Amino acid sequence: MALASCLPPLSLLFLFLTLGISGVHSSPTLSPSAAMQSLAQKRKPAMDAKLPFTAHFFPQQLDHFTFRPKAYHVFYQKYLINSTYWDQGPVHTAPIFVYTGNEGNIEWFAANTGFMLDIAPKFKALLVFIEHRFYGDSLPFGNDSYESAEELGYLTSTQALADYAVLIRSLKHNLSAEASPVVVFGGSYGGMLAAWFRLKYPHITIGALASSAPILQFDHIVPWSSFYDGVSQDFKDESINCFEVIKHSWDELMAVGAKKGGMLELTKTFRACKKLQSVYSVRDWLWTAFVYTAMIDYPTPANFLTPLPAYPVKEMCRIIDGFPAGEDILIKVFSAASLYYNYSSTNSCFDIENGSDPHGLHGWDWQACTEMVMPMTSSNESMFPPSTYDYKEFGDQCMTKYEVRPRPHWITTEYGGNKIELVLKRFGSNIIFSNGMRDPWSRGGVLKNISSSIIALVTPLGAHHLDFRAATKDDPKWLKEQRETEVKIIQGWIKQYYEDLRKSSKT
């Protein structure tokens, strides 16, 4: 099997993998931030009235880096604001906390980043969540935004970062908040953007908290098998039998799909709403469930990608281990995957081949085909079928779909990554990289302190940007301590900023 593409998130992703079998069939395109069931566009309804934010739209320039006439085309970029705890003004000096939106509707990220709301009163902070261009309601060409590479060519991380910079400067000016320090937050792909924003725009933000940000998942910086090794280790840690059942289920799935009447048999086994046409649809359905359950293996019940119980990997393995040894292996894996797709018991059947894109992630395929090239393989030790990666094969697929070829080394050229511990030590500062080792994306993250102000917070039992979730009474002690450490570090940044501001005003 050859890996034909890469790169959640966040969802981010958080970000990023497309597998190809013999150059013909591809597996789900997963992002670091979320599971995308298909590329079908499904627009999100109006903002949930329960979210404590007001929605606004900023007239944003299409192209920040050229001066051609088309560059001045204006689109309206969505952002959310909560000013409940901000100082009264009229001239503001209290902090502004900005979430650098990633690949989806901004409401989705606001609803799942309760940490910022939790700490806003302590800092008297203004909260701003900015939607990423080409996602949600921030579509530069309206319904034609995904028409072709002519439009999608403006969907890049550098353009997104420039959007954030322009919008933040405008907000500070219009809100009489020029003296307010800005701290950026991001999870998954949004965490990558937050870290890169601090490096590219240090004059706009005093620091960044980048949670579950796999900024090293490019080129040959980390082993290409690291992501799937991480998913597999999560299941193996819970149960060797569970790991082995999943590992051997793929061959059985293909064997059933290949025999006469096999697709009808799979339709019944997997309770599909319509007769299945391809065995690869079932493979992708299972694959997605196992990968994303590992990512969001939270210690408390959550509803980020889908409703799940606490420690869902453990629960999946409990389901598999609960069957007698002679039970059909596909019944076992179907039952485990059903935890991901139907924990709330609302589905009588599964729309396996016609899934929707409820979080507006349909732009990620383009990003994976251009600059977010994260090579991934599956080793013999993985619970997934062994696979290799082929840049050319991946590039050919992107040419077929978009008529563009990926630039596999652009991210490390633009933002760095190789020998990051030496490079950032020389010029970087004020970045927190937080990672939970249950999250397979953590293996592409920064896991060691780089300097006294570029800090790695690593929790052995943490999952995908778990620290960004709202606090609950059932949070484990180590999670509470992690968040307390993050708050303390940010307080230090802000204190130093005000001291420097006072000193500069005296000169």
Side-chain angles (χ1 to χ4, degrees):
M1 187 194 301
L3 280 181
S5 99
C6 50
L7 191 59
L10 233 204
S11 68
L12 124 177
L13 211 354
F14 34 99
L15 8 90
F16 305 142
L17 38 135
T18 304
L19 295 178
I21 297 184
S22 300
V24 177
H25 300 284
S26 352
S27 77
T29 300
L30 310 177
S31 85
S33 300
M36 180 169 66
Q37 299 302 327
S38 76
L39 294 178
Q41 181 172 346
K42 180 177 179 181
R43 295 301 304 281
K44 187 179 182 299
M47 185 171 69
D48 187 338
K50 295 178 183 178
L51 285 179
F53 295 92
T54 57
H56 306 265
F57 288 85
F58 179 76
Q60 190 63 263
Q61 185 165 304
L62 176 64
D63 185 356
H64 299 286
F65 303 111
T66 72
F67 295 90
R68 298 189 182 98
K70 190 174 183 178
Y72 296 92
H73 169 81
V74 169
F75 71 97
Y76 289 89
Q77 184 171 25
K78 192 173 194 176
Y79 65 100
L80 311 178
I81 279 186
N82 181 311
S83 59
T84 303
Y85 308 104
W86 209 25
D87 61 356
Q88 296 303 307
V91 176
H92 299 279
T93 58
I96 300 174
F97 289 171
V98 176
Y99 186 92
T100 50
N102 28 331
E103 70 285 32
N105 302 297
I106 194 60
E107 293 89 352
W108 183 36
F109 298 108
N112 287 281
T113 312
F115 173 67
M116 290 174 66
L117 271 169
D118 289 345
I119 68 174
K122 182 184 293 288
F123 290 93
K124 298 181 179 179
L126 173 71
L127 302 183
V128 182
F129 282 72
I130 309 176
E131 192 163 70
H132 196 299
R133 58 168 54 202
F134 283 87
Y135 291 101
D137 293 314
S138 302
L139 302 176
F141 302 99
N143 292 334
D144 295 329
S145 294
Y146 293 88
E147 192 69 23
S148 72
E150 288 296 321
E151 291 78 27
L152 283 166
Y154 297 99
L155 171 51
T156 69
S157 60
T158 51
Q159 295 281 8
L161 294 179
D163 288 342
Y164 302 151
V166 170
L167 198 157
I168 292 169
R169 289 195 64 185
S170 177
L171 272 182
K172 291 186 70 172
H173 175 75
N174 291 328
L175 297 177
S176 299
E178 296 288 5
S180 292
V182 173
V183 178
V184 292
F185 297 72
S188 197
Y189 170 51
M192 299 163 74
L193 293 171
W196 292 336
F197 191 83
R198 169 60 184 165
L199 297 177
K200 289 289 186 179
Y201 297 95
H203 54 293
I204 293 179
T205 181
I206 65 167
L209 172 49
S211 180
S212 300
I215 63 170
L216 305 182
Q217 197 81 45
F218 299 92
D219 286 0
H220 292 271
I221 301 175
V222 298
W224 288 1
S225 66
S226 62
F227 181 88
Y228 286 116
D229 288 345
V231 176
S232 302
Q233 191 63 49
D234 285 353
F235 283 85
K236 183 182 286 187
D237 286 346
E238 294 299 339
S239 162
I240 294 294
N241 175 65
C242 178
F243 168 86
E244 292 291 344
V245 165
I246 296 171
K247 184 179 180 70
H248 292 104
S249 68
W250 310 109
D251 286 344
E252 177 66 14
L253 176 66
M254 293 301 167
V256 173
K259 71 182 184 181
K260 185 177 181 180
M263 292 312 301
L264 181 59
E265 181 179 334
L266 291 177
T267 299
K268 294 177 180 178
T269 300
F270 287 86
R271 284 170 45 191
C273 298
K274 298 178 181 179
K275 182 181 178 182
L276 295 170
Q277 302 301 312
S278 171
V279 67
Y280 296 102
S281 300
V282 184
R283 182 206 63 176
D284 295 354
W285 189 82
L286 290 171
W287 199 297
T288 297
F290 297 139
V291 166
Y292 281 108
T293 299
M295 280 175 52
I296 54 175
D297 192 30
Y298 297 143
T300 56
N303 186 16
F304 176 38
L305 304 180
T306 184
L308 284 173
Y311 298 110
V313 171
K314 181 186 293 291
E315 294 303 316
M316 273 192 173
C317 286
R318 184 176 297 170
I319 290 170
I320 288 175
D321 292 345
F323 283 100
E327 183 61 80
D328 184 343
I329 193 172
L330 294 185
I331 292 291
K332 294 180 182 180
V333 292
F334 162 74
S335 300
S338 294
L339 179 81
Y340 179 83
Y341 292 108
N342 199 28
Y343 177 61
S344 56
S345 299
T346 56
N347 297 320
S348 59
C349 64
F350 298 99
D351 198 8
I352 292 175
E353 291 185 325
N354 297 288
S356 64
D357 176 16
H359 301 300
L361 294 163
H362 33 277
W364 189 256
D365 237 21
W366 166 266
Q367 290 191 260
C369 265
T370 50
E371 59 178 359
M372 295 296 169
V373 182
M374 298 181 170
M376 293 188 176
T377 61
S378 182
S379 66
N380 290 327
E381 288 71 36
S382 166
M383 70 181 197
F384 298 96
S387 57
T388 58
Y389 180 88
D390 188 308
Y391 275 120
K392 183 180 183 304
E393 184 179 349
F394 174 39
D396 290 345
Q397 290 185 3
C398 293
M399 276 296 293
T400 299
K401 184 164 189 175
Y402 294 113
E403 297 185 340
V404 299
R405 286 202 172 274
R407 298 179 184 176
H409 310 298
W410 174 243
I411 289 294
T412 52
T413 301
E414 176 69 12
Y415 305 113
N418 289 293
K419 300 188 183 301
I420 194 171
E421 69 283 356
L422 299 178
V423 175
L424 291 193
K425 187 181 292 185
R426 292 199 297 267
F427 83 95
S429 66
N430 292 8
I431 303 175
I432 302 169
F433 291 102
S434 67
N435 282 284
M437 296 308 293
R438 297 285 289 181
D439 176 16
W441 290 110
S442 66
R443 299 183 178 212
V446 176
L447 302 178
K448 294 182 180 179
N449 291 350
I450 291 176
S451 69
S452 60
S453 67
I454 301 182
I455 306 297
L457 297 180
V458 179
T459 52
L461 299 179
H464 201 54
H465 50 70
L466 170 61
D467 52 329
F468 273 18
R469 299 193 60 77
T472 74
K473 62 181 178 59
D474 298 319
D475 288 338
K477 182 181 178 182
W478 55 264
L479 177 56
K480 296 176 182 177
E481 292 174 346
Q482 177 189 5
R483 291 173 176 146
E484 289 168 0
T485 300
E486 291 169 350
V487 166
K488 184 177 180 181
I489 292 172
I490 294 169
Q491 286 175 323
W493 296 343
I494 292 173
K495 180 181 178 181
Q496 186 63 55
Y497 168 82
Y498 286 136
E499 289 177 358
D500 293 343
L501 194 64
R502 282 193 295 271
K503 290 177 183 178
S504 65
S505 65
K506 294 178 180 178
T507 58

